[in-house]
Amino acid sequence: MPEISLTIVVVLCLASLAAGWIDAVVGGGGLLLLPAMLLGLPGGTPAAYALGTNKAVAIVGTTGAAVTYARKAPVDVRLAVRIGLAALAGSTAGAFVAAGMSTDVLKPVVMVVLLGVGTFVMLRPAFGTAPSTEPVSARRVLAAIGLAGLGIGFYDGLIGPGTGTFLVLALTALLHFDLVTASATAKIVNCCTNAGALATFAWKGTVYWQLAALMAAFNLVGGMVGAHTALKRGSGFVRVVLLTVVFALVANLAYQQWIA
């Protein structure tokens, strides 16, 4: 691992703490954590090390949030695991593809999708505020496995930031969950996407394990606190955080695409 100053380590740990909280509430912690990693690591460090170390940190906080949610929220763990296994396959494939291609071409597409999603949520105040009383059909479950599992899992391995947010939105739209239940389910699925991508990066040797272990402790605390906050404050609070993260993610991607 390269030499990193104590000041940078402290900043990365604080960023990891905040990212864990954001990710637990509504996803999108990578919006903060990954740029912090890219800026904090010494110049010339291959981006793959930032991506791999980021996954090693994120999986710990995501797991802590998932456990916290599973204990107190009405989560269908079996359904979440089924979606998660598809996401595991998708993220592993995405990580392999990421090693051999530029993701810049995909960023404008992601921005357009996010802007559309943000506009939809703003114009539909009732979106995700209460769960549907109708049973979820097998057709919708299959759609969730395909889109939220394979599709978003692939995106997570390929690019990453915003995966949790996409999962929350997809689960709310497809399965008619309220936003808190969708966030809880997304954490279980996100554990699988992180595991698939991390396994690939670890196999390639692009993870700084010592730095990741320290940052993961802060990310775990942030994730558990964020889950408790979402459970306590409810879907209305999650909706506000969701919109904030969506538009911040669009701004971040636009900056990377056209300014940085």
Side-chain angles (χ1 to χ4, degrees), residues 101-195:
M101 68 169 288
S102 172
T103 57
D104 288 343
V105 68
L106 298 176
K107 290 178 182 177
V109 177
V110 175
M111 282 185 275
V112 171
V113 172
L114 282 170
L115 283 171
V117 164
T119 302
F120 173 81
V121 174
M122 288 181 66
L123 296 176
R124 295 284 299 274
F127 179 75
T129 56
S132 172
T133 56
E134 299 178 4
V136 179
S137 67
R139 191 174 178 179
R140 286 186 175 274
V141 170
L142 288 174
I145 291 172
L147 178 60
L150 285 172
I152 298 177
F154 183 84
Y155 167 81
D156 189 40
L158 187 65
I159 302 178
T163 296
T165 305
F166 278 128
L167 284 171
V168 170
L169 290 166
L171 293 170
T172 303
L174 292 171
L175 302 178
H176 296 164
F177 289 163
D178 64 87
L179 288 172
V180 172
T181 302
S183 291
T185 306
K187 290 306 102 190
I188 298 174
V189 176
N190 215 176
C191 285
C192 297
T193 65
N194 284 337

Side-chain angles (χ1 to χ4, degrees), residues 48-60 63 88 91-96 156-157 190-209 212 216:
Y49 283 90
L51 292 166
T53 305
N54 173 63
K55 288 300 178 188
V57 173
I59 195 171
V60 176
T63 301
L88 174 62
S91 64
T92 302
F96 272 107
D156 189 40
N190 215 176
C191 285
C192 297
T193 65
N194 284 337
L198 176 59
T200 304
F201 287 119
W203 178 68
K204 293 181 177 180
T206 55
V207 179
Y208 292 137
W209 293 106

Side-chain angles (χ1 to χ4, degrees), residues 22 26-27 31 118 121-122 165 237-251:
I22 294 170
V26 76
L31 171 67
V121 174
M122 288 181 66
T165 305
F237 172 75
V238 174
R239 182 176 183 274
V240 172
V241 178
L242 172 65
L243 287 170
T244 302
V245 169
V246 164
F247 290 113
L249 183 58
V250 170

Side-chain angles (χ1 to χ4, degrees), residues 14-36:
L14 292 176
S16 185
L17 178 71
W21 187 90
I22 294 170
D23 210 45
V25 174
V26 76
L31 171 67
L32 173 62
L33 188 56
L34 185 56

